[in-house]
Structure formats: structure tokens, C-alpha cells
Amino acid sequence: MDKNRLEFNNSTQKENFIQENTQNNESLGPETIFIPISLSIDEKEISNNNSTFETDPFQNDLVTNDKDTRKLKPERTGWQRYIGILLALCSCITFSLCILIVKVLNGKIHPGSIGVYRFLGILLTLPVLLYYRYIKKVNVFETIWPLTSKHKGNTKNLLLLLFRGISGCTAILLQYSALSYISIATSTTISFSTPIFVGLVAWIFLGEKCGIVPTLAALITFFGVVITAGIVPGNTGDISLNNDNLIGASLSFGSMVFGTFIIVILRSLRRIHFTLVASFFGVVGLIECCIYCLAIGRFDIPDSTWEWFLITSIGILTFFSQILMTAALKFEDAGPIALVRTSDVVFAFVWQYIFLGVIPDVYSSTGAVIVCSGVALIAFRKYVTNLPPKHRNRQKYSFLLK
């Protein structure tokens, strides 16, 4: 027997192993839909039965079959150890550039119209879904079809996919609308605080345990959001409690709330194939944006080559941002990737200064630092949580697990 392979004596042992090694990606934000772990398996071992569990488009990081066998991922050395970090950084750059383009198009093309073009970009995952279904012969629809009494879980999964699509689209529309009132950096900072409040929502609605450290991180982050929005006693500068600032901050906060629910929902969609989650999100989001445009009686079409280029770039950047983040999760765990995601806020400040000439004020800068600190605390806690019980760092930072 190959000493680098793990074998399971029964299905119960396999399920326990899956539960212990599956990572919750709440630190990665609402745009992340894939669940990585540090194991992989040969492609020839992919099965189409109900025990299949897939997560990643570039690897089958967690795929089990009747053999109940898997191979450990080889250890990387040298610069290869940083591939995941670099890919995540590239994902942050593409995502922040997408937000920059939305800001540039502000006043020219309505956020609802921009949403339509964005979700057309997400639908680029449909060819990937067809590839897995008809080329690799993976039954990607088994978790939602058929809708019979023998498959009660399928109805639940279908409803969760629907709610995930509606919540995701609403969060995006709110964030895009907020850019009409506040800066990129302020909007990004507020929306970026999503991971902090996931634990609180899970505690309120799911009855999950909420520790002292997550609660403290949530309070710190909320304080940072308040400062970023300029809601500070004695704040009489240009960013004081004016209508634009309050409206924009409220829209971004609403985006953050919906983003929090997205992550909670995604935690119940772990066994659904990643292409189905992404494609369903694209379809539902596209329909919601079209309904929104019809309701307000407005759909803007770019009237110049430059605007067409920017609109097309939004769809392409959205697609590649997700692909790069998914690829990053192939090489790195969720904790370090979540830390890299804090660079979204940094890039937001950089892009608005370079391309829009916006100089960050002391409140937005201070608030951004506080928010990033709260997110970094949760990300590092996640890293410590995933360490083996006897690991030196887990014992050293055990106070974070309270």
C-alpha cells in the first residue's frame, strides 16, 4: 500500500475526516464560493455517484468515491510556496479595478445596467459547467435534480441557490449605487467588513457559538466603519453628516449585510458543484438586474468605444478575479488568503488617488486601518483554528480561540 495515501474502513470514518478538514470560507468574503482543503486526488478517481464532493475548477481538492482513497498533496519549496498568495493578490487587483471602472462610469451608465453586463461576465462559467458535465461526466445537477420525495435535500439546495443569487445581486447593486455618493475607498472599506459579522449572524439565526474574540473583532470593525463613514462626534469637515455621505454609507452597509447572509448560505451549499453555484448566481443575478432596470424604466447602452471597452472589462475582470481566487485556494489555505484580501482596501485607496485624484482624508484612512485590523484578527484566528491540536503556534495563540 502506498504510504502517501489515506484509506477509510467505512463511510462514517470518511465523513468524520471530511468534517475535520473542510474549511469555512467566511473570511474570504461573499464573492468566494469554493472550499479548499490541503488534499487532492487523481482525476481518474472521480466518481459520478452521490458520494462525490467537489470544490475547485483547477483541482478536485475534495473528491471522494467508492474507493475512499486520496493522495496527499506534495510539499512545495522555494518560490512555489507563494503561488497561492500571488494569485490571491492578482485577484484583489482585478476586483479592485472592476470597482474603479464602476466609479468611472458613474453618472454615465446606471448601476442596474452595469449589473447586467457584470453578470453576463459571470455566465462565462457556463462553458466550464458543460465541460464538467459532458466531457468529465460529472453529474453536477445531482444536488438539485430531481425534485422528488426521495431527494428532499434537492429542493432545499435549489431554494438556497435562489436566495444566494438574489442576496448576491442585491449586495452588488447596493455597492455600485453607493459609489454614486461616496468614494471607492469608503465603499470598499465598509463592504469589506462582511467576514466579521458572519459569526454574529450564525449565532443569531443558526444558534452557533460566538466566541469572545470574534465579538471583539466585530465591535472593532464596526467602530472602523463608523469612522470611515464620518459619523464621528465633532466631525465638522467636508465629510460631515451630509446627505451624500449618509446615503452612500447606508447603501454600503446594506451591501455588507447581504454579503454576510451570502456567506452563511454558502456554508449550506458545500456539496453543490462549484460551476452550478457560479452559473446559478449569474443567471439569477442577470434576471434580477433586468427586472430592476425594467422597474425603473432605464437601461443604459454605452455610446462610445471607450465605454464599451470599460463595460466589457467589468465582465472579464469579474470572471478572472473569481478564477484567480479559486486557483489561489488550490495552493493556499483560507486563513492566509483572507489576510491577502485586506489588500482590496489598499488598492481602492491607490486607484482612486492615481486615476481619480482623490486624496484620502484622515477619517477614511483611520477607519480603513481599523477595519483591516479586525478582518486580519479573524483571519489569523481562522489560521490558528485550523492548526493541529499539538502545533506550536496553536498552543502559543490559544487565547484567540476563546
Side-chain angles (χ1 to χ4, degrees), residues 93-302:
I93 292 175
T94 55
F95 178 76
S96 59
L97 286 174
C98 181
I99 298 298
L100 172 65
I101 294 175
V102 175
K103 182 66 173 180
V104 171
L105 292 173
N106 178 38
K108 301 176 182 179
I109 299 181
H110 191 271
S113 303
I114 296 177
V116 171
Y117 298 114
R118 183 192 192 279
F119 282 103
L120 286 175
I122 294 180
L123 289 180
L124 291 174
T125 55
L126 282 175
V128 183
L129 182 149
L130 297 176
Y131 167 76
Y132 271 92
R133 178 65 184 91
Y134 296 105
I135 304 299
K136 302 191 75 172
K137 304 299 181 180
V138 177
N139 187 5
V140 299
F141 300 105
E142 65 179 355
T143 51
I144 65 169
W145 191 264
L147 299 176
T148 62
S149 58
K150 295 181 179 181
H151 302 82
K152 295 181 179 180
N154 290 358
T155 302
K156 176 183 176 182
N157 291 337
L158 188 62
L159 290 175
L160 287 174
L161 283 174
L162 178 62
F163 292 147
R164 184 266 184 269
I166 294 174
S167 299
C169 180
T170 303
I172 290 171
L173 289 176
L174 288 172
Q175 185 181 27
Y176 287 1
S177 298
L179 293 174
S180 299
Y181 301 94
I182 55 180
S183 68
I184 300 174
T186 301
S187 175
T188 302
T189 300
I190 296 175
S191 300
F192 184 75
S193 60
T194 296
I196 299 297
F197 298 97
V198 171
L200 296 179
V201 172
W203 171 59
I204 296 173
F205 293 96
L206 302 181
E208 295 185 4
K209 182 180 179 181
C210 185
I212 298 175
V213 174
T215 303
L216 178 62
L219 293 174
I220 293 174
T221 304
F222 183 75
F223 179 64
V225 168
V226 170
I227 294 180
T228 302
I231 310 176
V232 181
N235 177 20
T236 58
D238 294 336
I239 63 167
S240 59
L241 302 181
N242 56 65
N243 289 334
D244 285 352
N245 196 59
L246 285 177
I247 293 174
S250 299
L251 290 171
S252 292
F253 192 83
S255 175
M256 182 273 294
V257 171
F258 278 100
T260 300
F261 283 106
I262 292 169
I263 299 174
V264 175
I265 293 173
L266 286 176
R267 291 166 64 172
S268 301
L269 299 179
R270 296 174 185 169
R271 294 186 178 274
I272 299 180
H273 197 272
F274 76 94
T275 58
L276 186 59
V277 176
S279 299
F280 211 94
F281 177 40
V283 171
V284 173
L286 181 62
I287 294 174
E288 181 177 345
C289 287
C290 290
I291 293 175
Y292 175 54
C293 291
L294 289 174
I296 64 176
R298 178 177 177 179
F299 180 78
D300 299 328
I301 299 176

Side-chain angles (χ1 to χ4, degrees), residues 14 47-53 64 66 139 142-143 151 271:
K14 177 185 67 177
S47 172
N48 293 331
N49 57 34
N50 290 333
S51 64
T52 299
F53 187 121
T64 62
D66 293 336
N139 187 5
E142 65 179 355
T143 51
H151 302 82
R271 294 186 178 274

Side-chain angles (χ1 to χ4, degrees), residues 51-62:
S51 64
T52 299
F53 187 121
E54 299 205 23
T55 58
D56 194 303
F58 302 107
Q59 62 166 3
N60 294 302
D61 265 348
L62 184 54

